[in-house]
Amino acid sequence: MSITKKVLSLTAASMVFATVARAEDYVITLKGQEFSPANLTIPADKKVKITVKNTNPTAAEFESHELSREKVVGANSEISVFVGPVKAGTYGYFDDFQRDVAKGTITAQ
Amino acid sequence: MLATLIIVFRELIEAGLVVGIVLAATRGVAGRSLWVGYGVAAGLLGACMVALFAKGINAAMAGFGQEFFNAGVLLLAVLMLTWHNVWMAKHGREMAREMKSVGEAVSSGSRSLLALAIVVGIALLREGSEIVLFLYGIAVSGNETLANMVIGAAIGVVLGVGCTALTYFGLLRIPNRYLFLVTGWMIALLSAGMAAQAVAFLEQAQVVNRLGETAWHSGWLVSQDSITGKTLHTLVGYNESPTIMQVFTYLFTLLGTFALMKWVGGTPAKKMVLVRT
């Protein structure tokens, strides 16, 4: 993040910041063992809100060590987490309850 | 069966390590088995309640109830662990004296048992609720027979208890005069790690926003997916991609604990050693 951008975001009122975060909502859907989109693209160096929808009849846990996030997603329900700001790159996540098969990635750019 | 076994065991590693450390840290204190037992029972009951009310917890705090709940119980555990260490800094010496005169069991340490029982309860509550949700899911999906699920879970629990035993008996190999020094350090590190994790939950809920940039990525060296990474995560709060705020919180908690111990009871190292003269 450039200095100008940093100063701008610091001076911006917190309410404005919250509105911005809400406007940029990203969605990941879990169906069976598949996350879609398999690779989600988000902006780098920015805190974003990601909504994870679990369409399975069983609970899941959205977890990412690389993004330092974990949250249980109940059966047939959805949760939201704030992610970042992260540098440009690709970060892995998985469903902790079926971690060997249900994986996805998030690319920040 | 194998999937159930692996999940139950993996979730229990953390709680197992915590219970092992608590048992070693309270060695020789009268009534500690009972208190740890209370902690385990309360934790298991709490785990079922959390799983049962998962939907309600989730919906609370504008969809971020899970984060507030986790951060809250983690910070409570940090408070209890710190209190234990500070208490030991003040009373470690008299405990050592009493241990020498009364033999194995001492009563003066029992006052910090409630704090550690709460820590045990919290460890089981957090990991246990995930196990309950997972097992419920397996039962509902019908992918596995009930018998297989029960066998898998039982073996997982046995391995988890084995983890506790390994930690406890491993720590008991440490000479008596250094035992409380070592467990004091372990509890301080455990506490710092939990404080950093609480911050992660608050960042996830956008409550804490400052210094949210990632401090480093060390997943290539030690992945948190590995057993080593998972164990280090519990023991010293290892995180393969912590934010700068998490690192600061970790250091602040660790230094704060030692400062408090020194303030209340003199040099931490000297006070916590059981001197045998």
Side-chain angles (χ1 to χ4, degrees), chain B residues 165-207:
Chain B
L166 211 66
T167 313
Y168 177 61
F169 290 111
L171 284 171
L172 285 200
R173 294 181 73 96
I174 296 167
N176 255 351
R177 46 190 300 218
Y178 298 120
L179 178 65
F180 289 162
L181 177 67
V182 172
T183 54
W185 265 96
M186 290 184 85
I187 281 177
L189 292 167
L190 200 68
S191 159
M194 284 181 172
Q197 211 185 339
V199 166
F201 280 116
L202 294 177
E203 287 173 329
Q204 183 169 304
Q206 213 190 16
V207 176

Side-chain angles (χ1 to χ4, degrees), chain B:
Chain B
M1 189 180 97
L2 198 64
T4 310
L5 192 166
I6 290 171
I7 293 247
V8 171
F9 175 53
R10 208 183 40 226
E11 297 294 338
L12 280 180
I13 290 177
E14 187 168 332
L17 286 169
V18 170
V19 175
I21 293 170
V22 164
L23 281 173
T26 52
R27 194 191 177 194
V29 178
R32 57 99 185 245
S33 305
L34 197 65
W35 278 102
V36 171
Y38 287 152
V40 170
L44 292 179
L45 190 70
C48 295
M49 301 290 279
V50 170
L52 196 63
F53 296 113
K55 244 191 180 128
I57 294 174
N58 229 346
M61 312 300 286
F64 288 95
Q66 222 182 104
E67 282 85 351
F68 280 93
F69 178 79
N70 277 313
V73 293
L74 280 168
L75 289 174
L76 179 62
V78 169
L79 220 61
M80 294 296 125
L81 290 169
T82 309
W83 191 71
H84 168 81
N85 260 355
V86 171
W87 192 92
M88 281 295 282
K90 199 172 167 64
H91 300 280
R93 192 172 282 173
E94 68 189 62
M95 257 182 83
R97 250 203 315 273
E98 211 183 316
M99 211 178 250
K100 243 179 78 191
S101 55
V102 190
E104 270 295 282
V106 291
S107 54
S108 63
S110 53
R111 244 166 295 170
S112 87
L113 281 179
L114 174 63
L116 291 183
I118 291 174
V119 171
V120 166
I122 287 172
L124 275 152
L125 172 95
R126 294 194 60 242
E127 310 291 306
S129 60
E130 285 186 21
I131 294 177
V132 173
L133 280 173
F134 171 76
L135 290 184
Y136 178 74
I138 295 249
V140 166
S141 70
N143 289 337
E144 216 166 346
T145 65
L146 191 68
N148 269 348
M149 192 180 103
V150 170
I151 294 170
I155 299 174
V157 169
V158 168
L159 289 176
V161 172
C163 210
T164 299
L166 211 66
T167 313
Y168 177 61
F169 290 111
L171 284 171
L172 285 200
R173 294 181 73 96
I174 296 167
N176 255 351
R177 46 190 300 218
Y178 298 120
L179 178 65
F180 289 162
L181 177 67
V182 172
T183 54
W185 265 96
M186 290 184 85
I187 281 177
L189 292 167
L190 200 68
S191 159
M194 284 181 172
Q197 211 185 339
V199 166
F201 280 116
L202 294 177
E203 287 173 329
Q204 183 169 304
Q206 213 190 16
V207 176
V208 173
N209 290 309
R210 293 289 172 89
L211 303 173
E213 290 82 10
T214 307
W216 68 72
H217 289 288
S218 53
W220 55 273
L221 190 64
V222 180
S223 164
Q224 244 173 284
D225 275 330
S226 65
I227 290 283
T228 315
K230 175 103 188 152
T231 309
L232 284 176
H233 173 68
T234 305
L235 290 183
V236 300
Y238 174 72
N239 185 329
E240 63 169 59
S241 310
T243 62
I244 296 168
M245 185 55 114
Q246 286 171 38
V247 176
F248 278 164
T249 306
Y250 184 91
L251 293 175
F252 176 79
T253 309
L254 202 57
L255 294 175
T257 302
F258 289 134
L260 267 176
M261 285 167 72
K262 192 166 174 146
W263 185 52
V264 170
T267 326
K270 275 188 188 159
K271 282 277 178 169
M272 293 195 54
V273 174
L274 283 185
V275 190
R276 279 204 165 163
T277 43

Side-chain angles (χ1 to χ4, degrees), chain A residues 18-106:
Chain A
T19 318
V20 170
R22 206 171 304 133
E24 293 175 19
D25 223 348
Y26 297 87
V27 180
I28 296 172
T29 307
L30 173 66
K31 189 173 184 187
Q33 306 179 336
E34 303 283 324
F35 280 108
S36 66
N39 180 40
L40 176 77
T41 306
I42 61 169
D45 305 316
K46 211 170 182 184
K47 196 161 193 170
V48 296
K49 186 180 183 184
I50 298 178
T51 297
V52 182
K53 292 182 177 168
N54 177 15
T55 61
N56 292 339
T58 55
E61 186 178 25
F62 173 77
E63 186 162 353
S64 169
H65 296 316
E66 289 164 38
L67 295 167
S68 191
R69 291 290 174 264
E70 60 172 303
K71 191 163 182 173
V72 171
V73 199
N76 291 313
S77 56
E78 60 178 70
I79 54 97
S80 294
V81 290
F82 286 94
V83 167
V86 288
K87 288 206 178 74
T90 298
Y91 303 86
Y93 67 85
F94 52 88
D95 168 10
D96 195 27
F97 293 160
Q98 37 179 357
R99 64 159 66 193
D100 298 325
V101 283
K103 296 177 197 173
T105 52
I106 292 170

